Amino acid sequence: MSIRIIGTGSALPAKSVTNEDLAKLVETSDEWIRERTGIAGRHISTGETVAELSAAACSRALEDAGRTAEEVDLLLVATCSPECGVPCVACQVQGMIGAAHAVAFDLNAACSGFLFALHTAWAYMEAGICRNALIVGAEVLSKLVDWTDRGTCILFGDGAGAVFAEYGGKEKFYFVQHSDGSKGGALTCDTRQLKNPYVEMPMEAPWIRMDGREIFAFAVRRVPEGIEEVLGKAGMTADDVDLFVLHQANYRIIEGIAKRLKQDAEKFPVNLDRVGNMSSAAIPVLLDELKRAGRLKSGMNIVLSGFGAGLTWGACVMKV
Ligand code: UT7
């Protein structure tokens, strides 16, 4: 037995922001952003929270799966941009959708978060701890972005995606996961500073800081390695794969990965032109769009791969 993904859903904030809009805030241009990243627009929260976007994505995934919130056993939210430390986003979502019987908790592995959460849910189901799971990737990164830093504010977008998976079916899932904390300084975002009556610390702005070139080089090297590794576990090669659903960070990264794997770029669907880099929400939102567009056909071999801050990266082979 294995698991099956039987429903997907997503939610984006109502406000859409173009590159031209950003060129009014920082010294940049539509041409530079498109050429260097492939991004033309993104959705930015004007009030929607990570929990609200997650709840909307979950409701759509449950509707798509033909299941009710009361049936959910496990509710996992991958996010690095929760509104508060406690309660976790997953518990907030549980309350919002009425998933009264679920165990709910969050997981943070930045842009690899959805993949790591899917792997966790898979392991819970394989171990018999639960029979089904709602797995969510959700971010409101716009509150962590320094809107005066043109190197980062042009990249990110807000949104949430969810899948509903249940135990059953014959097609095996294969996973690999990796982390390298020694390179964590390449992409950071502080939260609250230590501030109590016994310390005096300089306050630093808690914004996303990134060495874009280092992250770029890491992604183009490590992601193909991870994909080859998981394909090896599944006894497959890249030629056997129908679609590579990758974290949507930069179109040039996706092209570089396709080239290393010697695969046609058409096997790598993209939506980053419309939604930017939504960190842990990128893969489930793209999966939902592909499913609703009828592009996920029964029997297809799909590779998912996420990579980002931590550093973290991982890949999964699954059949739909
Ligand atoms: O989810 C994972 C998270 N992060 C990523 O995936 C990011 C991976 N990295 C990237 O996508 C790319 O490194 C960036 C898009 C962030 C930057 O592209 P790049 O080709 O690596 O540019 P660069 O940082 O090497 O900068 C080249 C030039 C610099 O000017 P000088 O020093 O050559 O005069 C930058 O100041 O481009 C300048 N620049 C900009 N110019 C116009 C940087 N950002 C902008 C901008 N508009 N928005």
Side-chain angles (χ1 to χ4, degrees), residues 278-294:
M278 298 187 294
S279 189
S280 65
I283 292 175
V285 169
L286 182 54
L287 268 181
D288 182 47
E289 290 182 1
L290 291 168
K291 184 161 189 281
R292 285 170 201 272

Side-chain angles (χ1 to χ4, degrees), residues 12-308:
L12 301 174
K15 185 167 181 59
S16 177
V17 174
T18 64
N19 293 343
E20 284 87 358
D21 293 329
L22 295 183
K24 292 176 193 147
L25 300 177
V26 289
E27 201 179 326
T28 190
S29 65
D30 177 49
E31 191 190 1
W32 192 97
I33 300 171
R34 278 179 199 261
E35 263 178 27
R36 300 286 181 123
T37 70
I39 297 167
R42 72 287 290 148
H43 289 256
I44 297 294
S45 171
T46 53
E48 297 96 336
T49 65
V50 176
E52 286 165 357
L53 291 167
S54 299
C58 284
S59 297
R60 285 167 198 159
L62 285 171
E63 191 185 345
D64 189 38
R67 298 289 186 270
T68 64
E70 290 81 17
E71 292 175 84
V72 178
D73 286 346
L74 176 67
L75 204 171
L76 276 182
V77 177
T79 185
C80 58
S81 53
E83 274 75 36
C84 51
V86 285
C88 66
V89 176
C91 284
Q92 295 176 60
V93 175
Q94 177 184 27
M96 286 173 178
I97 66 171
H101 308 295
V103 169
F105 61 95
D106 289 2
L107 183 157
N108 175 4
C111 306
S112 309
F114 175 76
L115 203 91
F116 284 24
L118 182 64
H119 195 179
T120 305
W122 171 84
Y124 265 55
M125 285 187 261
E126 287 283 340
I129 298 168
C130 63
R131 300 283 304 175
N132 67 49
L134 259 177
I135 304 121
V136 187
E139 306 289 0
V140 176
L141 295 169
S142 59
K143 61 178 183 263
L144 306 180
V145 160
D146 176 353
W147 288 93
T148 65
D149 175 14
R150 67 179 182 173
T152 52
C153 75
I154 53 120
L155 294 175
F156 298 105
D158 301 333
V163 303
F164 182 80
E166 60 186 22
Y167 191 60
K170 293 190 295 282
E171 303 297 350
K172 281 183 114 178
F173 279 47
Y174 298 89
F175 290 90
V176 295
Q177 282 178 273
H178 294 288
S179 310
D180 181 0
S182 72
K183 305 268 169 47
L187 178 44
T188 62
C189 184
D190 289 339
T191 56
R192 283 174 189 245
Q193 303 288 302
L194 182 64
K195 193 173 189 299
N196 65 40
Y198 312 104
V199 291
E200 271 186 36
M201 297 276 287
M203 289 296 284
E204 286 188 26
W207 308 130
I208 292 174
R209 296 286 173 227
M210 181 180 72
D211 181 337
R213 287 184 195 185
E214 190 173 341
I215 297 287
F216 195 104
F218 145 73
V220 173
R221 183 163 154 239
R222 291 297 190 197
V223 176
E225 283 176 8
I227 291 174
E228 298 280 14
E229 186 186 349
V230 78
L231 287 171
K233 271 177 115 172
M236 291 164 59
T237 70
D239 292 342
D240 299 318
V241 177
D242 297 291
L243 284 179
F244 294 87
V245 181
L246 303 189
H247 171 49
Q248 303 283 297
N250 183 321
Y251 187 64
R252 290 188 297 132
I253 292 179
I254 294 173
E255 272 183 329
I257 294 166
K259 207 167 151 195
R260 289 211 180 193
L261 292 170
K262 299 190 177 60
Q263 296 299 304
D264 195 308
E266 294 205 339
K267 283 182 163 187
F268 295 73
V270 290
N271 65 358
L272 63 83
D273 52 325
R274 289 177 287 110
V275 297
N277 178 348
M278 298 187 294
S279 189
S280 65
I283 292 175
V285 169
L286 182 54
L287 268 181
D288 182 47
E289 290 182 1
L290 291 168
K291 184 161 189 281
R292 285 170 201 272
R295 288 189 61 193
L296 301 183
K297 306 252 185 322
S298 176
M300 270 186 164
N301 292 318
I302 313 276
V303 162
L304 311 180
S305 183
F307 54 89

